[in-house]
Amino acid sequence: MAVSMRDLDPAFQGAGQKAGIEIWRIENFRPVPVPKSSYGKFFTGDSYVILKTTALKSGALRHDIHYWLGKDTSQDEAGAAAVKTVELDAALGGRAVQYREVQGHETEKFLSYFKPCIIPQEGGVASGFKHVQEEEHKIRMFVCRGKHVVHVKEVPFARSSLNHDDIFILDTKSKIFQFNGSNSSIQERAKALEVVQYIKDTCHDGKCEVAAIEDGKLMADAETGEFWGFFGGFAPLPRKTASDEDRTVQSHTAKLLSVEKGQAKPVDADSLTRELLDTNKCYILDCGLEVFVWMGRNTSLDERKTASGAAEELIRGSDRPKSQIIRVIEGFETVVFKSKFESWPQTTNVAVTEDGRSKVAALLRRQGLNVKGLAKAAPAKEEPQPYIDCTGNLQVWRVNGQEKVLLPASDQSKFYSGDCYIFQYSYPGEDKEEYLIGTWIGKQSVEDERVSAVSLATKMVESMKFQATQACIHEGSEPIQFFSIFQSFIVFKGGLSDGYKNYIAEKEIPEGTYTEDGLALFRVQGSGPDNMQAIQVEAVASSLNSSYCYIVHSGSTVFTWAGNLTSPDDHELVERQLDIIKPNLQSKPQKEGSESEQFWELLGGKSEYPSQKIAREPEGDPHLFSCTFSKGNLKVTEIYNFTQDDLMTEDIFILDCHSDIFVWVGQEVDTKNKLQALTIGQKFLEHDFLLEKLSREAPIYIVMEGSEPPFFTRFFSWDSAKSSMHGNSFQRKLTIVKTGGTPTVDKPKRRTPVSYGGRSSSVPDRSQRSRSMSFSPERVRVRGRSPAFNALAAAFENPNARNLSTPPPVVKKLYPKSVTPDSAKKSAAIAALTASFEKQPPPARETIIPRSVKVSPPTPKTTPTPEPNSKENSMSSKLESLTIQEDAKEGEAEDEEGLPIYPYERLKITSTDPVSEIDVTKRETYLSSEEFKEKFGMKKDAFYKLPKWKQNKLKMALQLF
């Protein structure tokens, strides 16, 4: 499309250069900028042009242009707005999607710019309107409709305006009433309360009362009587009568029309295909409610204006004021437009260049204007962050048939491609211990064990009352959170499970499982000691890549190979991984281009190999969808410009980040639908609603309301108090509106969580600290134990074990010997833990209690005074002496009398015959007094006088937590 200076209105020069909203009002058929202080204020007699500029993660700027037509605007002004929208698109390079917005029938995308609503005011420029502040408050009534965004319309202040289907707001001088029709939904009522808050803030300076009136409640309370008093008393409401505005425009089979010389002529075709659209023409696609104007890349500005006029005429001629006109440019079609065609190729042969944009930039530059941002912005380069505290505790199980087998500490980060695994990671959250339970699906694993892994993990989440985040992760698509939790991670070929072995035997597939003495080649990757992986690949030269380092071994022969594009940091990772895979053997370093003959012989000879780094799915721009899942069918609705307030506790939402997706489940969702959350996520990947080529193996996170992890909340301006409130969406928002803010939730105080870009001042820096998987001799995991038993493991381990934060010697073993303690060692370990209570001050975050457990409000902490020679005292006497000073702080334990008694072996979290229907957070209360004293070395009353953090450590040591 040719661009000339006459096509550029001076008011649009410099527009769209940075993210945000810009608005122009049409005055005398010319666009005039609206001051930012007046954004969101629209007058019924005017027409407006609105530009929304969004900065994408790729660095590009996306433009959406809307022209809004008030109900009293003139046809000439409306036409001018439509034409100026086409001109603004030309000034932006001819890529924007353009929307026609009619007062009362705006698109959800448009309304999302002005949350919670827009309430157009009477008047306009053409009528000589001047806004005069009214001295006396006028009673007004509005009807509100919408579940995700609210359409607000002023209606006559009369009983006849009310009905049972909608929600009404009565704005009086001293009080705002919300009348909830009996047929309205909870979500609609909650959204309408946002309008109440808006009116309260803008019209009453935040100083007025708010009342909610339930349809059918009659005169049950004073506020209901006060409401009906404005209408002369209560009387039954009439049935709602359908007006012209209530009639919906029926969608019909899409009809394609070609615009030639200002006339729209039908295109004769049996089916709609992309091939029907000619780049030298403009077309109209009439779908009833939606009318699309498609403009070929080679069409002129005048041709595009003519096509837009033809679409306007089509709507006027068929009396469809509600129909929405959406104009798209070839190569930048919306997903909805593409979905109307039976076939649309993934990529079209369109020369999408910067030509139009650069021509406009050159014209503006000659006038001395700043054109920064008109061209594509430079993509922001950011190192991915895990957004999770990596100092927590980890347990890993391998799935074997229908069961899971707990792995010893030395094998927790060694996975086999033919197996499936379940991991449970606990870490300190903002106000409680958080849990992440996930499955890892190997590429070579069998289907039965994949299903079993997901089922077992789901049961673990269910047993925790859905207070854990669940993840489903496939080999090769692991997210940064996964690698950061494991820190050092190895994937071997083959498998150890019975399912895998039976499969290869049945299919007569040669055994390819990794053996220490066999030939193996590992690609080493990662960003540092806290995020490094060794992936076994085919032991052939074509598996090499100049961007990586490798380890190859056969018997006692070990080589390391460094590609020419690798860095010293990469070389250090090889040494660290070598210390895990072959700790007792000296390696022979090889540099790309100077390899020995023996090296190539091991790989079967030289061959060509790539040099480009393996691309991982980048994180995309987030999109939020509300979900309805019924009878295996998934329907989604996108929520534009989303905030935390869009997450309704009655519903399920999907946050699509392209590289991974989150399924958020509200507290009020029933258990049946909660258990379908993973299926919903899988269906979403399968449908790929945005046509963004989603991988079927993208990680899926199931996030429960109230337990949102930081790697989910980072996409919002998050207020944890809101997700911890009780009641349905309407009850929660009514509390907020009435109190003027989110109520403070009484929560136990915990230590400050670790920051993710760098460590907080309260936590040692990376070089000084370690967590369970950091291989520190102070915190080594022990075979068969629960996560918290790491605090006890130092009593059994080799004190010379090395921390990986320093470069490894070649011949030392990385992992100390794993120990299976008997009952005597267990008692000694608990005694050691007790002694550690006296040596070390308790952490600032002292309660690690799931949501269901009640705690007394914390009081100022006192530091216990250690007694001399405490090591020689018995464990029970030491614990009693430690807790005397803290009795007042911690308070008495809840009365648990009357509970059934079960044996310890059935109460353990690793029991093969677990007890059902118990409070899994308080397993110890079901022990008999005798067995309790035998296991804990003290009576129950002494145990419950301990601080909660001490209680939980002892419980975890005994596998009761």
Side-chain angles (χ1 to χ4, degrees):
M1 178 185 68
V3 180
S4 65
M5 285 304 298
R6 67 181 179 83
D7 299 325
L8 298 176
D9 194 294
F12 293 145
Q13 292 180 355
Q17 296 185 29
K18 59 183 180 179
I21 293 177
E22 297 168 80
I23 302 178
W24 297 264
R25 180 164 60 183
I26 302 300
E27 299 181 12
N28 296 321
F29 311 113
R30 308 291 298 181
V32 176
V34 173
K36 290 187 183 297
S37 59
S38 297
Y39 282 11
K41 295 180 181 178
F42 295 91
F43 294 99
T44 61
D46 289 332
S47 298
Y48 296 80
V49 175
I50 299 94
L51 169 63
K52 169 67 172 176
T53 303
T54 305
L56 306 179
K57 281 188 175 290
S58 64
L61 295 175
R62 186 188 69 212
H63 297 106
D64 292 286
I65 308 175
H66 307 254
Y67 60 105
W68 185 88
L69 309 177
K71 65 182 179 66
D72 300 323
T73 192
S74 68
Q75 187 171 326
D76 289 341
E77 276 196 350
V83 169
K84 291 301 176 183
T85 299
V86 178
E87 290 182 12
L88 176 57
D89 173 53
L92 295 170
R95 300 180 175 193
V97 180
Q98 304 158 44
Y99 303 84
R100 176 180 182 263
E101 308 285 354
V102 177
Q103 180 182 341
H105 309 293
E106 296 88 352
T107 62
E108 291 198 359
K109 174 175 273 192
F110 177 79
L111 290 176
S112 73
Y113 304 154
F114 307 102
K115 289 182 179 180
C117 64
I118 60 170
I119 303 178
Q121 302 177 33
E122 293 293 326
V125 172
S127 60
F129 171 81
K130 290 185 179 179
H131 182 61
V132 178
Q133 193 72 28
E134 296 181 12
E135 295 181 1
E136 192 66 30
H137 184 89
K138 177 184 175 184
I139 295 179
R140 298 182 299 169
M141 191 159 75
F142 305 91
V143 62
C144 299
R145 298 177 179 129
K147 180 178 176 181
H148 304 301
V149 293
V150 188
H151 287 86
V152 180
K153 177 189 174 186
E154 187 169 357
V155 295
F157 169 39
R159 185 199 312 276
S160 58
S161 296
L162 300 173
N163 61 61
H164 299 294
D165 298 321
D166 297 318
I167 297 164
F168 295 85
I169 294 174
L170 181 65
D171 178 21
T172 71
K173 184 176 182 179
S174 60
K175 186 178 288 188
I176 302 174
F177 297 88
Q178 176 170 313
F179 176 83
N180 299 319
S182 57
N183 297 331
S184 62
S185 69
I186 291 174
Q187 296 93 325
E188 289 175 316
R189 298 177 185 188
K191 276 295 173 185
L193 277 172
E194 295 180 8
V195 179
V196 170
Q197 183 70 60
Y198 171 78
I199 295 173
K200 178 181 177 181
D201 292 339
T202 56
C203 301
H204 298 268
D205 295 325
K207 299 173 183 177
C208 72
E209 295 182 46
V210 172
I213 308 300
E214 297 300 323
D215 183 13
K217 206 172 181 181
L218 303 182
M219 307 290 284
D221 56 51
E223 288 182 333
T224 302
E226 185 181 359
F227 172 79
W228 287 113
F230 284 99
F231 300 94
F234 174 79
L237 297 179
R239 286 195 173 187
K240 182 179 179 180
T241 57
S243 63
D244 290 340
E245 288 197 2
D246 294 322
R247 294 191 185 96
T248 58
V249 178
Q250 297 297 322
S251 296
H252 53 66
T253 304
K255 301 175 183 176
L256 185 65
L257 303 97
S258 174
V259 181
E260 299 177 11
K261 297 181 180 179
Q263 299 296 316
K265 299 180 180 179
V267 175
D268 187 19
D270 296 331
S271 61
L272 288 177
T273 62
R274 170 65 181 82
E275 288 71 25
L276 294 173
L277 304 176
D278 185 349
T279 189
N280 298 304
K281 294 183 179 180
C282 293
Y283 296 84
I284 295 174
L285 184 66
D286 183 5
C287 304
L289 178 61
E290 298 162 319
V291 176
F292 294 92
V293 179
W294 184 89
M295 297 173 280
R297 295 292 296 180
N298 294 336
T299 54
S300 67
L301 185 60
D302 287 338
E303 288 174 320
R304 296 181 184 187
K305 290 179 180 179
T306 301
S308 298
E312 297 270 358
E313 188 61 37
L314 176 66
I315 288 177
R316 281 196 297 270
S318 54
D319 192 23
R320 289 185 286 166
K322 280 188 178 182
S323 291
Q324 299 166 349
I325 296 178
I326 304 169
R327 303 193 291 237
V328 296
I329 308 295
E330 180 183 6
F332 299 93
E333 298 87 353
T334 64
V335 172
V336 176
F337 178 82
K338 293 177 183 178
S339 68
K340 305 297 183 183
F341 290 74
E342 291 185 14
S343 64
W344 192 278
Q346 288 285 356
T347 56
T348 53
N349 296 322
V350 178
V352 179
T353 69
E354 296 286 328
D355 186 52
R357 193 176 284 251
S358 60
K359 285 182 179 179
V360 175
L363 290 170
L364 297 179
R365 201 178 285 116
R366 286 183 207 142
Q367 293 187 336
L369 296 173
N370 180 14
V371 295
K372 181 182 177 183
L374 194 56
K376 182 177 177 179
K381 293 183 179 180
E382 295 180 357
E383 281 294 324
Q385 298 293 326
Y387 294 97
I388 189 171
D389 190 313
C390 298
T391 63
N393 296 299
L394 179 69
Q395 281 183 298
V396 182
W397 295 263
R398 184 175 60 249
V399 175
N400 192 36
Q402 300 300 312
E403 300 177 345
K404 63 182 193 290
V405 180
L406 185 65
L407 298 184
S410 58
D411 291 340
Q412 283 188 144
S413 62
K414 299 176 181 178
F415 284 20
Y416 285 80
S417 188
D419 294 335
C420 295
Y421 295 82
I422 298 172
F423 63 91
Q424 176 179 301
Y425 181 65
S426 61
Y427 60 97
E430 182 181 343
D431 50 53
K432 62 185 175 66
E433 199 77 358
E434 302 288 357
Y435 292 88
L436 174 62
I437 295 175
T439 52
W440 183 88
I441 311 296
K443 287 182 178 179
Q444 298 173 296
S445 60
V446 297
E447 182 62 27
D448 288 348
E449 290 188 337
R450 295 184 178 200
V451 174
S452 180
V454 171
S455 176
L456 290 169
T458 302
K459 288 179 181 177
M460 291 172 66
V461 173
E462 190 176 3
S463 71
M464 298 181 72
K465 300 181 181 179
F466 297 100
Q467 291 180 14
T469 297
Q470 186 176 353
C472 183
I473 295 168
H474 289 260
E475 179 187 350
S477 299
E478 296 90 347
I480 184 65
Q481 291 82 19
F482 179 86
F483 286 147
S484 297
I485 289 170
F486 282 86
Q487 297 189 351
S488 176
F489 185 67
I490 303 174
V491 179
F492 298 112
K493 283 187 169 295
L496 303 178
S497 68
D498 293 340
Y500 175 78
K501 292 177 181 177
N502 293 337
Y503 175 79
I504 62 172
E506 180 183 331
K507 299 293 184 180
E508 297 182 351
I509 299 172
E511 176 62 61
T513 300
Y514 170 81
T515 59
E516 290 187 4
D517 296 330
L519 173 63
L521 177 65
F522 294 89
R523 183 182 69 246
V524 178
Q525 60 191 38
S527 60
D530 291 343
N531 173 16
M532 58 180 183
Q533 303 89 46
I535 312 299
Q536 188 179 357
V537 295
E538 290 294 327
V540 293
S542 59
S543 296
L544 298 175
N545 186 313
S546 300
S547 295
Y548 296 93
C549 295
Y550 290 79
I551 297 170
V552 59
H553 72 71
S554 179
S556 59
T557 303
V558 181
F559 288 98
T560 59
W561 185 86
N564 286 333
L565 301 180
T566 58
S567 67
D569 289 340
D570 297 325
H571 305 160
E572 182 183 346
L573 294 186
V574 170
E575 293 300 320
R576 292 176 181 275
Q577 291 289 24
L578 187 62
D579 196 37
I580 302 173
I581 297 171
K582 285 293 182 181
N584 297 318
L585 295 176
Q586 182 70 43
S587 66
K588 301 176 182 179
Q590 306 283 301
K591 289 187 177 180
E592 182 178 7
S594 58
E595 301 88 349
S596 66
E597 288 298 323
Q598 185 183 10
F599 173 81
W600 291 121
E601 286 174 5
L602 284 178
L603 298 182
K606 293 182 180 180
S607 70
E608 292 185 358
Y609 52 81
S611 61
Q612 192 171 4
K613 211 153 197 175
I614 299 170
R616 298 186 67 85
E617 285 291 341
E619 183 176 274
D621 298 286
H623 297 266
L624 184 68
F625 299 85
S626 68
C627 303
T628 303
F629 188 64
S630 177
K631 298 180 180 179
N633 296 317
L634 177 64
K635 294 182 180 180
V636 300
T637 302
E638 184 167 4
I639 313 297
Y640 300 101
N641 299 291
F642 60 85
T643 67
Q644 181 184 355
D645 289 335
D646 291 311
L647 300 174
M648 296 285 187
T649 187
E650 297 79 17
D651 295 329
I652 294 176
F653 292 82
I654 287 179
L655 182 65
D656 173 14
C657 304
H658 186 73
S659 58
D660 42 24
I661 67 168
F662 299 84
V663 182
W664 184 91
V665 183
Q667 290 179 1
E668 298 293 314
V669 173
D670 59 54
T671 302
K672 179 183 176 182
N673 286 330
K674 284 180 179 177
L675 294 173
Q676 291 181 321
L678 183 59
T679 302
I680 290 173
Q682 292 168 336
K683 287 282 186 183
F684 185 87
L685 293 177
E686 178 184 329
H687 286 292
D688 192 11
F689 291 97
L690 293 181
L691 305 179
E692 53 182 328
K693 301 181 184 178
L694 286 176
S695 168
R696 297 283 187 91
E697 296 185 350
I700 301 174
Y701 292 100
I702 312 301
V703 177
M704 298 296 171
E705 182 183 14
S707 298
E708 293 88 350
F711 51 89
F712 171 81
T713 59
R714 70 188 180 95
F715 294 102
F716 303 80
S717 295
W718 195 260
D719 182 354
S720 57
K722 288 183 178 179
S723 62
S724 301
M725 293 179 70
H726 299 291
N728 61 39
S729 297
F730 173 71
Q731 292 166 340
R732 295 182 187 188
K733 291 200 174 178
L734 183 61
T735 301
I736 293 173
V737 171
K738 284 191 171 184
T739 60
T742 306
T744 302
V745 180
D746 187 19
K747 296 180 180 180
K749 193 173 182 180
R750 300 183 61 84
R751 73 175 174 89
T752 304
V754 175
S755 61
Y756 311 111
R759 305 297 175 180
S760 65
S761 59
S762 62
V763 181
D765 64 29
R766 188 182 296 268
S767 64
Q768 295 174 320
R769 67 173 190 90
S770 66
R771 50 147 281 208
S772 300
M773 277 301 293
S774 295
F775 317 116
S776 168
E778 300 301 321
R779 296 184 69 186
V780 180
R781 299 195 182 104
V782 179
R783 183 190 302 270
R785 292 297 184 179
S786 62
F789 197 80
N790 303 317
L792 306 176
F796 305 112
E797 300 301 335
N798 177 7
N800 295 321
R802 181 176 53 79
N803 191 317
L804 266 186
S805 62
T806 57
V810 177
V811 296
K812 282 194 176 181
K813 290 197 180 232
L814 177 64
Y815 292 95
K817 291 184 179 179
S818 187
V819 179
T820 307
D822 54 22
S823 59
K825 288 184 179 179
K826 185 185 299 179
S827 300
I830 295 175
L833 176 61
T834 306
S836 72
F837 294 159
E838 299 182 1
K839 294 177 186 177
Q840 302 171 359
R845 299 171 58 87
E846 44 177 40
T847 49
I848 308 176
I849 304 172
R851 176 188 296 272
S852 60
V853 180
K854 296 178 181 179
V855 297
S856 302
T859 57
K861 186 171 180 177
T862 58
T863 305
T865 304
E867 294 185 13
N869 301 321
S870 60
K871 291 184 179 179
E872 299 176 4
N873 297 337
S874 67
M875 179 173 67
S876 58
S877 64
K878 285 186 293 183
L879 290 173
E880 289 170 4
S881 66
L882 279 169
T883 56
I884 291 173
Q885 299 179 37
E886 298 192 18
D887 287 353
K889 178 182 73 175
E890 295 298 326
E892 295 292 331
E894 292 181 4
D895 187 354
E896 300 293 345
E897 291 183 4
L899 289 176
I901 300 300
Y902 297 102
Y904 168 72
E905 293 300 324
R906 294 193 65 194
L907 291 171
K908 293 192 303 182
I909 59 175
T910 56
S911 174
T912 56
D913 182 25
V915 180
S916 59
E917 298 182 358
I918 64 170
D919 186 344
V920 295
T921 66
K922 306 182 77 173
R923 296 173 183 269
E924 79 284 353
T925 60
Y926 300 92
L927 289 170
S928 66
S929 299
E930 295 78 9
E931 195 165 16
F932 188 101
K933 186 174 181 180
E934 176 189 345
K935 298 297 180 184
F936 286 90
M938 69 187 81
K939 293 182 179 180
K940 286 187 178 182
D941 57 351
F943 172 79
Y944 286 120
K945 290 177 182 179
L946 291 173
K948 286 293 185 181
W949 70 272
K950 295 180 184 177
Q951 292 180 24
N952 290 335
K953 279 204 170 185
L954 289 171
K955 285 160 60 176
M956 288 193 284
L958 290 166
Q959 299 180 345
L960 291 173
F961 186 71

